Amino acid sequence: MSIRAQVISTIDEKGIDQMGPDDLIVKYHSVDVRTRSRLIVYSNQKAVVRIQGQIQGVFDSGAHDLQTPANPISQFFAKFQYAGNIPWEVEVLFASTARHEARSEGITQTKELVPMRYQVAYYFMITDPVKFINSVQFGGFKYTVEDFKNYVSPIVDQAVSQVLNLVSLNEVYANLHKITDAVTASLRSFLDEVGVHLITCRIVRLEPEDETMRRVVQFMALGLDVNTAIRARLAEIMAQRSDPAATNMMLGVPYYPIYILPTAGIPGGLQQLTSPPTQQQTQQSQGGSSQSSQFGGFEISRG
C-alpha cells in the first residue's frame, strides 16, 4: 500500500481493499504524516497509530485528520514543537472488528492412553485492538486468522486434555459437554486478556486416531455389540482386499474353501464323511483282520 493524495486507508491505488476476510491486522508501515494527512477507517475496522513502538491513538470508523488540535497525534508532536514532516517512524495498524472463525486441532489421550484426535471451532471478534496488538507478535504486514489459531492452540489443547485424560474411551462421548464447557471457559478467560470477545465455541470432531478403533466405535454407535463391531471392521478390511471370506467374517461362520478340503478326492465329498455309518460299514469295521472296506473307489484289505 502507498499513500495517494495524503489519504491513509486499507484501499490501495488500484482500489483493492487489503483487509481480506481472514485478516485481523493490516499494517500501513512507515507513514509520512503531513499537515493535511487524512486517515480513512472503514466499517468493521479500527485504526491504531503507533509511533516509535508506542500506541498514541485509536480511531473508529470514519475520516480523521491526523494533525488537528484535538487529535492525540498532534498533541504528541506538540510536545516537541515540531511542524511539517514528522521525523519519527509512524505506523498505522488497521484491526478488523468483524466476526471470525478459527479451528484448532490436535491429539490428546484418554485415561487408557488411547490417542484421540480433536477439532475445536470458535467464533470471536476483536473488541480492544490496543490489547490485541500488544499481546500478539507478527513480523509481516498482516496478521491472519491462521496466525491467531496457532497462538490460541496451546490453550485449547490444555483445556481438552484436562478433561479427556481423566475419562475412559467408553465415557468420552458421555462427557462431551464437560469438554466443551472446559474449553469455552479457558478460551474466554484467555481471550479477554488479549482484547478478544469469544462469541461461541464447539467441538466439531472427537474420535480415536487409529482408523480401526474409530470404525469400531462407529459400528457400536449403530447398535452393534463389541464382538460384532470388531468382526464388521475385520470384514471391511477383508473386503477391501477382495477376500472371499469377508462375508463369513461378518456373519461369524467358518469358511471352508473347496480346494483345501481333505475330502476333495472322495466320492460324495463332505457329505460322505459327515453322514452316519451304515450297518454294513459297522460290521466291516468290527470284522477283524480279514475284513476289507471301500475307500475312494479302492478296496483296502486289513490283515
Side-chain angles (χ1 to χ4, degrees):
M1 292 180 293
S2 61
I3 300 177
R4 50 185 179 86
Q6 303 303 323
V7 174
I8 303 170
S9 70
T10 57
I11 305 297
D12 60 11
E13 296 179 351
K14 298 180 180 179
I16 300 175
D17 193 350
Q18 296 298 315
M19 178 72 75
D22 295 329
D23 295 331
L24 299 179
I25 299 176
V26 174
K27 180 165 65 175
Y28 203 116
H29 188 65
S30 296
V31 179
D32 185 12
V33 180
R34 300 177 185 273
T35 303
R36 294 186 178 181
S37 297
R38 171 159 291 195
L39 174 64
I40 305 295
V41 184
Y42 295 96
S43 60
N44 292 330
Q45 292 181 5
K46 283 189 177 183
V48 178
V49 178
R50 186 166 61 182
I51 303 176
Q52 293 297 96
Q54 297 182 358
I55 294 177
Q56 301 298 331
V58 180
F59 301 87
D60 295 325
S61 301
H64 307 273
D65 292 329
L66 292 183
Q67 290 194 18
T68 57
N71 193 286
I73 307 302
S74 297
Q75 296 176 2
F76 173 80
F77 289 110
K79 299 177 182 178
F80 302 96
Q81 298 181 354
Y82 185 86
N85 295 343
I86 299 174
W88 293 281
E89 181 182 22
V90 180
E91 297 174 314
V92 179
L93 305 173
F94 293 91
S96 172
T97 57
R99 297 182 179 182
H100 297 275
E101 175 190 359
R103 298 197 175 196
S104 298
E105 56 184 13
I107 299 175
T108 184
Q109 294 178 339
T110 63
K111 186 178 181 179
E112 304 91 350
L113 302 181
V114 177
M116 298 287 291
R117 184 179 297 275
Y118 68 87
Q119 186 180 80
V120 178
Y122 43 95
Y123 304 86
F124 64 94
M125 60 184 301
I126 300 175
T127 55
D128 192 335
V130 175
K131 284 185 178 181
F132 187 77
I133 292 174
N134 289 334
S135 300
V136 301
Q137 295 181 352
F138 61 101
F141 290 94
K142 288 186 177 183
Y143 187 83
T144 64
V145 174
E146 182 70 18
D147 299 327
F148 184 71
K149 181 202 73 173
N150 297 332
Y151 178 67
V152 176
S153 289
I155 306 300
V156 176
D157 184 77
Q158 181 181 4
V160 174
S161 300
Q162 283 180 348
V163 179
L164 203 60
N165 294 159
L166 301 178
V167 298
S168 58
L169 180 61
N170 57 350
E171 298 176 349
V172 166
Y173 299 103
N175 293 272
L176 192 60
H177 64 285
K178 295 182 180 180
I179 302 175
T180 303
D181 294 342
V183 174
T184 302
S186 298
L187 265 182
R188 179 167 285 112
S189 176
F190 173 76
L191 295 182
D192 287 343
E193 297 178 358
V194 299
V196 177
H197 170 63
L198 178 65
I199 301 174
T200 184
C201 175
R202 63 190 179 93
I203 297 178
V204 296
R205 187 173 67 178
L206 182 62
E207 58 189 11
E209 184 183 17
D210 182 71
E211 175 67 19
T212 296
M213 186 170 294
R214 182 163 59 248
R215 293 293 291 164
V216 170
V217 172
Q218 292 172 352
F219 286 134
M220 292 177 62
L222 297 176
L224 302 181
D225 59 89
V226 177
N227 294 331
T228 306
I230 294 175
R231 290 205 314 269
R233 173 55 182 167
L234 294 177
E236 183 180 32
I237 297 176
M238 296 169 66
Q240 293 173 355
R241 299 176 180 178
S242 301
D243 193 325
T247 303
N248 296 73
M249 174 59 70
M250 181 63 196
L251 298 177
V253 297
Y255 176 72
Y256 298 109
I258 191 63
Y259 58 87
I260 66 172
L261 285 176
T263 60
I266 303 176
L270 186 61
Q271 182 178 2
Q272 179 175 346
L273 292 180
T274 57
S275 60
T278 62
Q279 183 178 3
Q280 181 181 1
Q281 292 175 344
T282 303
Q283 293 176 353
Q284 290 178 352
S285 62
Q286 299 175 354
S289 60
S290 61
Q291 298 294 329
S292 62
S293 62
Q294 294 285 338
F295 183 80
F298 298 92
E299 182 174 327
I300 301 176
S301 301
R302 299 180 182 178

